[in-house]
Every structure is written in C-alpha cells, then in structure tokens.
PDB file of all heavy atoms in Angstrom:
ATOM      1  N   ARG A   1     -25.363 323.872 120.337  1.00  0.00           N
ATOM      2  CA  ARG A   1     -25.302 323.030 119.117  1.00  0.00           C
ATOM      3  C   ARG A   1     -24.279 321.924 119.365  1.00  0.00           C
ATOM      4  O   ARG A   1     -23.114 322.193 119.527  1.00  0.00           O
ATOM      5  CB  ARG A   1     -24.945 323.885 117.921  1.00  0.00           C
ATOM      6  CG  ARG A   1     -24.801 323.042 116.670  1.00  0.00           C
ATOM      7  CD  ARG A   1     -24.543 323.914 115.450  1.00  0.00           C
ATOM      8  NE  ARG A   1     -24.249 323.033 114.327  1.00  0.00           N
ATOM      9  CZ  ARG A   1     -23.355 323.276 113.401  1.00  0.00           C
ATOM     10  NH1 ARG A   1     -22.638 324.423 113.431  1.00  0.00           N
ATOM     11  NH2 ARG A   1     -23.161 322.449 112.416  1.00  0.00           N
ATOM     12  N   MET A   2     -24.737 320.715 119.463  1.00  0.00           N
ATOM     13  CA  MET A   2     -23.878 319.583 119.804  1.00  0.00           C
ATOM     14  C   MET A   2     -23.450 318.903 118.514  1.00  0.00           C
ATOM     15  O   MET A   2     -24.258 318.613 117.632  1.00  0.00           O
ATOM     16  CB  MET A   2     -24.627 318.604 120.684  1.00  0.00           C
ATOM     17  CG  MET A   2     -25.165 319.167 121.990  1.00  0.00           C
ATOM     18  SD  MET A   2     -23.913 319.835 123.085  1.00  0.00           S
ATOM     19  CE  MET A   2     -23.016 318.405 123.565  1.00  0.00           C
ATOM     20  N   ILE A   3     -22.152 318.617 118.412  1.00  0.00           N
ATOM     21  CA  ILE A   3     -21.628 317.906 117.284  1.00  0.00           C
ATOM     22  C   ILE A   3     -20.789 316.726 117.830  1.00  0.00           C
ATOM     23  O   ILE A   3     -19.781 317.005 118.501  1.00  0.00           O
ATOM     24  CB  ILE A   3     -20.719 318.842 116.417  1.00  0.00           C
ATOM     25  CG1 ILE A   3     -21.545 319.983 115.878  1.00  0.00           C
ATOM     26  CG2 ILE A   3     -20.091 318.066 115.253  1.00  0.00           C
ATOM     27  CD1 ILE A   3     -20.769 321.059 115.127  1.00  0.00           C
ATOM     28  N   PRO A   4     -21.232 315.508 117.581  1.00  0.00           N
ATOM     29  CA  PRO A   4     -22.445 315.103 116.917  1.00  0.00           C
ATOM     30  C   PRO A   4     -23.677 315.444 117.733  1.00  0.00           C
ATOM     31  O   PRO A   4     -23.558 315.687 118.945  1.00  0.00           O
ATOM     32  CB  PRO A   4     -22.275 313.569 116.763  1.00  0.00           C
ATOM     33  CG  PRO A   4     -21.316 313.180 117.838  1.00  0.00           C
ATOM     34  CD  PRO A   4     -20.420 314.377 118.070  1.00  0.00           C
ATOM     35  N   PRO A   5     -24.863 315.423 117.125  1.00  0.00           N
ATOM     36  CA  PRO A   5     -26.066 315.857 117.860  1.00  0.00           C
ATOM     37  C   PRO A   5     -26.546 314.883 118.968  1.00  0.00           C
ATOM     38  O   PRO A   5     -27.331 315.310 119.790  1.00  0.00           O
ATOM     39  CB  PRO A   5     -27.133 316.009 116.758  1.00  0.00           C
ATOM     40  CG  PRO A   5     -26.605 315.205 115.594  1.00  0.00           C
ATOM     41  CD  PRO A   5     -25.130 315.139 115.737  1.00  0.00           C
ATOM     42  N   HIS A   6     -26.077 313.685 118.898  1.00  0.00           N
ATOM     43  CA  HIS A   6     -26.465 312.682 119.907  1.00  0.00           C
ATOM     44  C   HIS A   6     -25.197 311.973 120.389  1.00  0.00           C
ATOM     45  O   HIS A   6     -24.256 311.771 119.625  1.00  0.00           O
ATOM     46  CB  HIS A   6     -27.395 311.631 119.313  1.00  0.00           C
ATOM     47  CG  HIS A   6     -28.644 312.230 118.720  1.00  0.00           C
ATOM     48  ND1 HIS A   6     -29.655 312.780 119.420  1.00  0.00           N
ATOM     49  CD2 HIS A   6     -28.965 312.456 117.414  1.00  0.00           C
ATOM     50  CE1 HIS A   6     -30.563 313.258 118.650  1.00  0.00           C
ATOM     51  NE2 HIS A   6     -30.183 313.078 117.407  1.00  0.00           N
ATOM     52  N   ILE A   7     -25.165 311.626 121.651  1.00  0.00           N
ATOM     53  CA  ILE A   7     -24.014 310.940 122.190  1.00  0.00           C
ATOM     54  C   ILE A   7     -23.965 309.536 121.630  1.00  0.00           C
ATOM     55  O   ILE A   7     -24.989 308.874 121.420  1.00  0.00           O
ATOM     56  CB  ILE A   7     -24.014 310.938 123.752  1.00  0.00           C
ATOM     57  CG1 ILE A   7     -22.633 310.621 124.275  1.00  0.00           C
ATOM     58  CG2 ILE A   7     -25.101 310.047 124.277  1.00  0.00           C
ATOM     59  CD1 ILE A   7     -22.391 311.106 125.651  1.00  0.00           C
ATOM     60  N   ALA A   8     -22.738 309.047 121.323  1.00  0.00           N
ATOM     61  CA  ALA A   8     -22.577 307.736 120.723  1.00  0.00           C
ATOM     62  C   ALA A   8     -23.036 306.651 121.678  1.00  0.00           C
ATOM     63  O   ALA A   8     -22.866 306.745 122.884  1.00  0.00           O
ATOM     64  CB  ALA A   8     -21.112 307.541 120.353  1.00  0.00           C
ATOM     65  N   GLN A   9     -23.655 305.634 121.126  1.00  0.00           N
ATOM     66  CA  GLN A   9     -24.137 304.506 121.901  1.00  0.00           C
ATOM     67  C   GLN A   9     -23.023 303.823 122.676  1.00  0.00           C
ATOM     68  O   GLN A   9     -23.228 303.275 123.763  1.00  0.00           O
ATOM     69  CB  GLN A   9     -24.829 303.493 121.008  1.00  0.00           C
ATOM     70  CG  GLN A   9     -26.116 303.977 120.355  1.00  0.00           C
ATOM     71  CD  GLN A   9     -27.269 304.020 121.342  1.00  0.00           C
ATOM     72  OE1 GLN A   9     -27.271 303.346 122.356  1.00  0.00           O
ATOM     73  NE2 GLN A   9     -28.243 304.861 121.090  1.00  0.00           N
ATOM     74  N   ASP A  10     -21.834 303.832 122.107  1.00  0.00           N
ATOM     75  CA  ASP A  10     -20.716 303.144 122.741  1.00  0.00           C
ATOM     76  C   ASP A  10     -19.916 303.980 123.724  1.00  0.00           C
ATOM     77  O   ASP A  10     -18.882 303.557 124.223  1.00  0.00           O
ATOM     78  CB  ASP A  10     -19.785 302.546 121.658  1.00  0.00           C
ATOM     79  CG  ASP A  10     -19.124 303.606 120.793  1.00  0.00           C
ATOM     80  OD1 ASP A  10     -19.539 304.791 120.851  1.00  0.00           O
ATOM     81  OD2 ASP A  10     -18.213 303.242 120.009  1.00  0.00           O
ATOM     82  N   CYS A  11     -20.409 305.175 124.043  1.00  0.00           N
ATOM     83  CA  CYS A  11     -19.743 306.025 125.020  1.00  0.00           C
ATOM     84  C   CYS A  11     -19.772 305.359 126.370  1.00  0.00           C
ATOM     85  O   CYS A  11     -20.827 305.041 126.897  1.00  0.00           O
ATOM     86  CB  CYS A  11     -20.405 307.393 125.123  1.00  0.00           C
ATOM     87  SG  CYS A  11     -19.666 308.464 126.358  1.00  0.00           S
ATOM     88  N   GLN A  12     -18.601 305.065 126.937  1.00  0.00           N
ATOM     89  CA  GLN A  12     -18.478 304.329 128.190  1.00  0.00           C
ATOM     90  C   GLN A  12     -18.512 305.203 129.423  1.00  0.00           C
ATOM     91  O   GLN A  12     -18.648 304.718 130.540  1.00  0.00           O
ATOM     92  CB  GLN A  12     -17.181 303.511 128.207  1.00  0.00           C
ATOM     93  CG  GLN A  12     -17.100 302.495 127.111  1.00  0.00           C
ATOM     94  CD  GLN A  12     -18.105 301.388 127.286  1.00  0.00           C
ATOM     95  OE1 GLN A  12     -18.141 300.784 128.383  1.00  0.00           O
ATOM     96  NE2 GLN A  12     -18.852 301.027 126.300  1.00  0.00           N
ATOM     97  N   SER A  13     -18.319 306.536 129.243  1.00  0.00           N
ATOM     98  CA  SER A  13     -18.198 307.406 130.397  1.00  0.00           C
ATOM     99  C   SER A  13     -19.517 307.943 130.884  1.00  0.00           C
ATOM    100  O   SER A  13     -20.160 308.760 130.189  1.00  0.00           O
ATOM    101  CB  SER A  13     -17.263 308.623 130.016  1.00  0.00           C
ATOM    102  OG  SER A  13     -17.275 309.579 131.050  1.00  0.00           O
ATOM    103  N   PRO A  14     -19.928 307.641 132.078  1.00  0.00           N
ATOM    104  CA  PRO A  14     -21.161 308.196 132.633  1.00  0.00           C
ATOM    105  C   PRO A  14     -21.036 309.718 132.804  1.00  0.00           C
ATOM    106  O   PRO A  14     -21.988 310.465 132.642  1.00  0.00           O
ATOM    107  CB  PRO A  14     -21.360 307.466 133.933  1.00  0.00           C
ATOM    108  CG  PRO A  14     -20.056 306.894 134.304  1.00  0.00           C
ATOM    109  CD  PRO A  14     -19.312 306.696 133.033  1.00  0.00           C
ATOM    110  N   GLY A  15     -19.848 310.212 133.112  1.00  0.00           N
ATOM    111  CA  GLY A  15     -19.591 311.649 133.273  1.00  0.00           C
ATOM    112  C   GLY A  15     -19.806 312.376 131.978  1.00  0.00           C
ATOM    113  O   GLY A  15     -20.428 313.445 131.936  1.00  0.00           O
ATOM    114  N   GLU A  16     -19.310 311.839 130.882  1.00  0.00           N
ATOM    115  CA  GLU A  16     -19.485 312.444 129.559  1.00  0.00           C
ATOM    116  C   GLU A  16     -20.986 312.460 129.157  1.00  0.00           C
ATOM    117  O   GLU A  16     -21.473 313.455 128.608  1.00  0.00           O
ATOM    118  CB  GLU A  16     -18.705 311.760 128.522  1.00  0.00           C
ATOM    119  CG  GLU A  16     -17.202 312.017 128.599  1.00  0.00           C
ATOM    120  CD  GLU A  16     -16.391 311.257 127.546  1.00  0.00           C
ATOM    121  OE1 GLU A  16     -16.826 311.198 126.385  1.00  0.00           O
ATOM    122  OE2 GLU A  16     -15.304 310.732 127.915  1.00  0.00           O
ATOM    123  N   LYS A  17     -21.685 311.403 129.481  1.00  0.00           N
ATOM    124  CA  LYS A  17     -23.103 311.356 129.173  1.00  0.00           C
ATOM    125  C   LYS A  17     -23.880 312.449 129.883  1.00  0.00           C
ATOM    126  O   LYS A  17     -24.727 313.100 129.347  1.00  0.00           O
ATOM    127  CB  LYS A  17     -23.699 309.964 129.527  1.00  0.00           C
ATOM    128  CG  LYS A  17     -23.193 308.863 128.590  1.00  0.00           C
ATOM    129  CD  LYS A  17     -23.694 307.510 129.064  1.00  0.00           C
ATOM    130  CE  LYS A  17     -23.109 306.392 128.239  1.00  0.00           C
ATOM    131  NZ  LYS A  17     -23.529 305.043 128.715  1.00  0.00           N
ATOM    132  N   ILE A  18     -23.574 312.574 131.154  1.00  0.00           N
ATOM    133  CA  ILE A  18     -24.239 313.634 131.991  1.00  0.00           C
ATOM    134  C   ILE A  18     -23.956 315.023 131.422  1.00  0.00           C
ATOM    135  O   ILE A  18     -24.842 315.858 131.260  1.00  0.00           O
ATOM    136  CB  ILE A  18     -23.824 313.519 133.470  1.00  0.00           C
ATOM    137  CG1 ILE A  18     -24.410 312.280 134.078  1.00  0.00           C
ATOM    138  CG2 ILE A  18     -24.196 314.777 134.261  1.00  0.00           C
ATOM    139  CD1 ILE A  18     -23.821 311.916 135.442  1.00  0.00           C
ATOM    140  N   LEU A  19     -22.681 315.289 131.185  1.00  0.00           N
ATOM    141  CA  LEU A  19     -22.287 316.616 130.714  1.00  0.00           C
ATOM    142  C   LEU A  19     -22.848 316.903 129.313  1.00  0.00           C
ATOM    143  O   LEU A  19     -23.230 318.045 129.017  1.00  0.00           O
ATOM    144  CB  LEU A  19     -20.802 316.761 130.749  1.00  0.00           C
ATOM    145  CG  LEU A  19     -20.189 316.727 132.115  1.00  0.00           C
ATOM    146  CD1 LEU A  19     -18.642 316.821 132.056  1.00  0.00           C
ATOM    147  CD2 LEU A  19     -20.703 317.877 133.009  1.00  0.00           C
ATOM    148  N   PHE A  20     -22.902 315.885 128.462  1.00  0.00           N
ATOM    149  CA  PHE A  20     -23.481 316.049 127.131  1.00  0.00           C
ATOM    150  C   PHE A  20     -24.911 316.587 127.241  1.00  0.00           C
ATOM    151  O   PHE A  20     -25.294 317.552 126.601  1.00  0.00           O
ATOM    152  CB  PHE A  20     -23.452 314.724 126.351  1.00  0.00           C
ATOM    153  CG  PHE A  20     -23.821 314.860 124.892  1.00  0.00           C
ATOM    154  CD1 PHE A  20     -22.863 314.954 123.907  1.00  0.00           C
ATOM    155  CD2 PHE A  20     -25.167 314.827 124.517  1.00  0.00           C
ATOM    156  CE1 PHE A  20     -23.230 315.053 122.593  1.00  0.00           C
ATOM    157  CE2 PHE A  20     -25.561 314.952 123.190  1.00  0.00           C
ATOM    158  CZ  PHE A  20     -24.526 315.061 122.223  1.00  0.00           C
ATOM    159  N   SER A  21     -25.692 315.916 128.107  1.00  0.00           N
ATOM    160  CA  SER A  21     -27.059 316.336 128.332  1.00  0.00           C
ATOM    161  C   SER A  21     -27.159 317.733 128.905  1.00  0.00           C
ATOM    162  O   SER A  21     -27.998 318.566 128.523  1.00  0.00           O
ATOM    163  CB  SER A  21     -27.782 315.361 129.257  1.00  0.00           C
ATOM    164  OG  SER A  21     -27.919 314.127 128.665  1.00  0.00           O
ATOM    165  N   ARG A  22     -26.272 318.051 129.824  1.00  0.00           N
ATOM    166  CA  ARG A  22     -26.316 319.393 130.450  1.00  0.00           C
ATOM    167  C   ARG A  22     -25.953 320.465 129.443  1.00  0.00           C
ATOM    168  O   ARG A  22     -26.574 321.518 129.467  1.00  0.00           O
ATOM    169  CB  ARG A  22     -25.365 319.407 131.664  1.00  0.00           C
ATOM    170  CG  ARG A  22     -25.941 318.580 132.814  1.00  0.00           C
ATOM    171  CD  ARG A  22     -25.195 318.693 134.055  1.00  0.00           C
ATOM    172  NE  ARG A  22     -25.155 320.055 134.558  1.00  0.00           N
ATOM    173  CZ  ARG A  22     -24.414 320.473 135.558  1.00  0.00           C
ATOM    174  NH1 ARG A  22     -23.616 319.631 136.208  1.00  0.00           N
ATOM    175  NH2 ARG A  22     -24.469 321.728 135.964  1.00  0.00           N
ATOM    176  N   PHE A  23     -25.001 320.244 128.592  1.00  0.00           N
ATOM    177  CA  PHE A  23     -24.674 321.199 127.528  1.00  0.00           C
ATOM    178  C   PHE A  23     -25.882 321.402 126.608  1.00  0.00           C
ATOM    179  O   PHE A  23     -26.248 322.530 126.240  1.00  0.00           O
ATOM    180  CB  PHE A  23     -23.472 320.777 126.716  1.00  0.00           C
ATOM    181  CG  PHE A  23     -22.143 321.096 127.279  1.00  0.00           C
ATOM    182  CD1 PHE A  23     -21.258 320.050 127.589  1.00  0.00           C
ATOM    183  CD2 PHE A  23     -21.745 322.417 127.466  1.00  0.00           C
ATOM    184  CE1 PHE A  23     -20.014 320.375 128.114  1.00  0.00           C
ATOM    185  CE2 PHE A  23     -20.513 322.714 127.999  1.00  0.00           C
ATOM    186  CZ  PHE A  23     -19.599 321.717 128.339  1.00  0.00           C
ATOM    187  N   LYS A  24     -26.494 320.324 126.256  1.00  0.00           N
ATOM    188  CA  LYS A  24     -27.613 320.350 125.308  1.00  0.00           C
ATOM    189  C   LYS A  24     -28.832 321.024 125.889  1.00  0.00           C
ATOM    190  O   LYS A  24     -29.596 321.674 125.217  1.00  0.00           O
ATOM    191  CB  LYS A  24     -27.971 318.905 124.916  1.00  0.00           C
ATOM    192  CG  LYS A  24     -28.774 318.776 123.684  1.00  0.00           C
ATOM    193  CD  LYS A  24     -28.842 317.348 123.242  1.00  0.00           C
ATOM    194  CE  LYS A  24     -29.597 317.261 121.934  1.00  0.00           C
ATOM    195  NZ  LYS A  24     -29.593 315.907 121.369  1.00  0.00           N
ATOM    196  N   GLU A  25     -29.013 320.948 127.236  1.00  0.00           N
ATOM    197  CA  GLU A  25     -30.256 321.455 127.868  1.00  0.00           C
ATOM    198  C   GLU A  25     -30.089 322.803 128.544  1.00  0.00           C
ATOM    199  O   GLU A  25     -31.113 323.461 128.856  1.00  0.00           O
ATOM    200  CB  GLU A  25     -30.719 320.428 128.900  1.00  0.00           C
ATOM    201  CG  GLU A  25     -31.163 319.116 128.257  1.00  0.00           C
ATOM    202  CD  GLU A  25     -31.343 317.987 129.278  1.00  0.00           C
ATOM    203  OE1 GLU A  25     -31.235 318.254 130.501  1.00  0.00           O
ATOM    204  OE2 GLU A  25     -31.554 316.872 128.823  1.00  0.00           O
ATOM    205  N   ASP A  26     -28.888 323.312 128.766  1.00  0.00           N
ATOM    206  CA  ASP A  26     -28.667 324.580 129.440  1.00  0.00           C
ATOM    207  C   ASP A  26     -29.059 325.719 128.507  1.00  0.00           C
ATOM    208  O   ASP A  26     -28.446 325.884 127.436  1.00  0.00           O
ATOM    209  CB  ASP A  26     -27.224 324.706 129.867  1.00  0.00           C
ATOM    210  CG  ASP A  26     -26.930 325.938 130.716  1.00  0.00           C
ATOM    211  OD1 ASP A  26     -27.655 326.953 130.593  1.00  0.00           O
ATOM    212  OD2 ASP A  26     -25.946 325.917 131.466  1.00  0.00           O
ATOM    213  N   PRO A  27     -30.039 326.538 128.837  1.00  0.00           N
ATOM    214  CA  PRO A  27     -30.470 327.626 127.936  1.00  0.00           C
ATOM    215  C   PRO A  27     -29.408 328.700 127.761  1.00  0.00           C
ATOM    216  O   PRO A  27     -29.416 329.409 126.742  1.00  0.00           O
ATOM    217  CB  PRO A  27     -31.724 328.229 128.634  1.00  0.00           C
ATOM    218  CG  PRO A  27     -31.674 327.761 130.042  1.00  0.00           C
ATOM    219  CD  PRO A  27     -30.888 326.462 130.057  1.00  0.00           C
ATOM    220  N   ASP A  28     -28.431 328.793 128.690  1.00  0.00           N
ATOM    221  CA  ASP A  28     -27.377 329.812 128.531  1.00  0.00           C
ATOM    222  C   ASP A  28     -26.286 329.373 127.616  1.00  0.00           C
ATOM    223  O   ASP A  28     -25.268 330.055 127.461  1.00  0.00           O
ATOM    224  CB  ASP A  28     -26.867 330.168 129.929  1.00  0.00           C
ATOM    225  CG  ASP A  28     -27.890 330.940 130.747  1.00  0.00           C
ATOM    226  OD1 ASP A  28     -28.701 331.700 130.131  1.00  0.00           O
ATOM    227  OD2 ASP A  28     -27.872 330.797 131.967  1.00  0.00           O
ATOM    228  N   THR A  29     -26.393 328.189 127.008  1.00  0.00           N
ATOM    229  CA  THR A  29     -25.409 327.715 126.013  1.00  0.00           C
ATOM    230  C   THR A  29     -25.958 327.847 124.609  1.00  0.00           C
ATOM    231  O   THR A  29     -25.376 327.281 123.672  1.00  0.00           O
ATOM    232  CB  THR A  29     -24.979 326.254 126.299  1.00  0.00           C
ATOM    233  OG1 THR A  29     -26.109 325.425 126.098  1.00  0.00           O
ATOM    234  CG2 THR A  29     -24.381 326.087 127.657  1.00  0.00           C
ATOM    235  N   LYS A  30     -27.034 328.576 124.430  1.00  0.00           N
ATOM    236  CA  LYS A  30     -27.741 328.585 123.123  1.00  0.00           C
ATOM    237  C   LYS A  30     -26.889 329.000 121.943  1.00  0.00           C
ATOM    238  O   LYS A  30     -27.130 328.568 120.819  1.00  0.00           O
ATOM    239  CB  LYS A  30     -29.006 329.415 123.200  1.00  0.00           C
ATOM    240  CG  LYS A  30     -28.748 330.900 123.350  1.00  0.00           C
ATOM    241  CD  LYS A  30     -30.039 331.675 123.376  1.00  0.00           C
ATOM    242  CE  LYS A  30     -29.685 333.136 123.623  1.00  0.00           C
ATOM    243  NZ  LYS A  30     -30.813 333.964 123.655  1.00  0.00           N
ATOM    244  N   ASP A  31     -25.894 329.837 122.113  1.00  0.00           N
ATOM    245  CA  ASP A  31     -25.045 330.298 120.983  1.00  0.00           C
ATOM    246  C   ASP A  31     -23.729 329.496 120.914  1.00  0.00           C
ATOM    247  O   ASP A  31     -22.868 329.816 120.093  1.00  0.00           O
ATOM    248  CB  ASP A  31     -24.691 331.767 121.129  1.00  0.00           C
ATOM    249  CG  ASP A  31     -25.947 332.638 121.026  1.00  0.00           C
ATOM    250  OD1 ASP A  31     -26.888 332.245 120.326  1.00  0.00           O
ATOM    251  OD2 ASP A  31     -25.972 333.723 121.654  1.00  0.00           O
ATOM    252  N   TRP A  32     -23.593 328.495 121.741  1.00  0.00           N
ATOM    253  CA  TRP A  32     -22.347 327.747 121.824  1.00  0.00           C
ATOM    254  C   TRP A  32     -22.348 326.575 120.853  1.00  0.00           C
ATOM    255  O   TRP A  32     -23.441 326.030 120.478  1.00  0.00           O
ATOM    256  CB  TRP A  32     -22.121 327.180 123.222  1.00  0.00           C
ATOM    257  CG  TRP A  32     -22.022 328.181 124.296  1.00  0.00           C
ATOM    258  CD1 TRP A  32     -22.307 329.547 124.271  1.00  0.00           C
ATOM    259  CD2 TRP A  32     -21.599 327.929 125.651  1.00  0.00           C
ATOM    260  NE1 TRP A  32     -22.085 330.104 125.494  1.00  0.00           N
ATOM    261  CE2 TRP A  32     -21.638 329.130 126.361  1.00  0.00           C
ATOM    262  CE3 TRP A  32     -21.187 326.787 126.320  1.00  0.00           C
ATOM    263  CZ2 TRP A  32     -21.297 329.250 127.672  1.00  0.00           C
ATOM    264  CZ3 TRP A  32     -20.834 326.893 127.619  1.00  0.00           C
ATOM    265  CH2 TRP A  32     -20.872 328.100 128.330  1.00  0.00           C
ATOM    266  N   VAL A  33     -21.161 326.138 120.484  1.00  0.00           N
ATOM    267  CA  VAL A  33     -20.953 324.919 119.750  1.00  0.00           C
ATOM    268  C   VAL A  33     -20.121 324.016 120.596  1.00  0.00           C
ATOM    269  O   VAL A  33     -19.063 324.450 121.076  1.00  0.00           O
ATOM    270  CB  VAL A  33     -20.284 325.152 118.373  1.00  0.00           C
ATOM    271  CG1 VAL A  33     -20.008 323.828 117.678  1.00  0.00           C
ATOM    272  CG2 VAL A  33     -21.131 326.054 117.509  1.00  0.00           C
TER     273      VAL A  33
END
C-alpha cells in the first residue's frame, strides 16, 4: 500500500522512481505500507 498511491510528477530521483515501482509491484510486500 503506497502512500501517496502514485509517485509525484516532480520527483527528480530516478532511484526513488524505480524503488517506488518495485515496492508497488513486489507480491511479497502485500501487507506492507
């Protein structure tokens, strides 16, 4: 569960963008916030 649910348009960090997607898509994080 990502808070906020979408990464901000003004996020400048490519690393944060990649990790945001990985957290959101990893099935083993299903109970995580």
Side-chain angles (χ1 to χ4, degrees):
R1 178 175 173 220
M2 304 299 293
I3 300 175
H6 305 285
I7 197 157
Q9 293 286 337
D10 62 350
C11 178
Q12 299 292 310
S13 171
E16 288 179 41
K17 290 175 184 177
I18 289 168
L19 294 176
F20 188 97
S21 294
R22 289 187 62 189
F23 277 118
K24 197 170 185 174
E25 295 167 5
D26 186 334
D28 292 328
T29 65
K30 68 178 177 179
D31 296 330
W32 298 14
V33 176

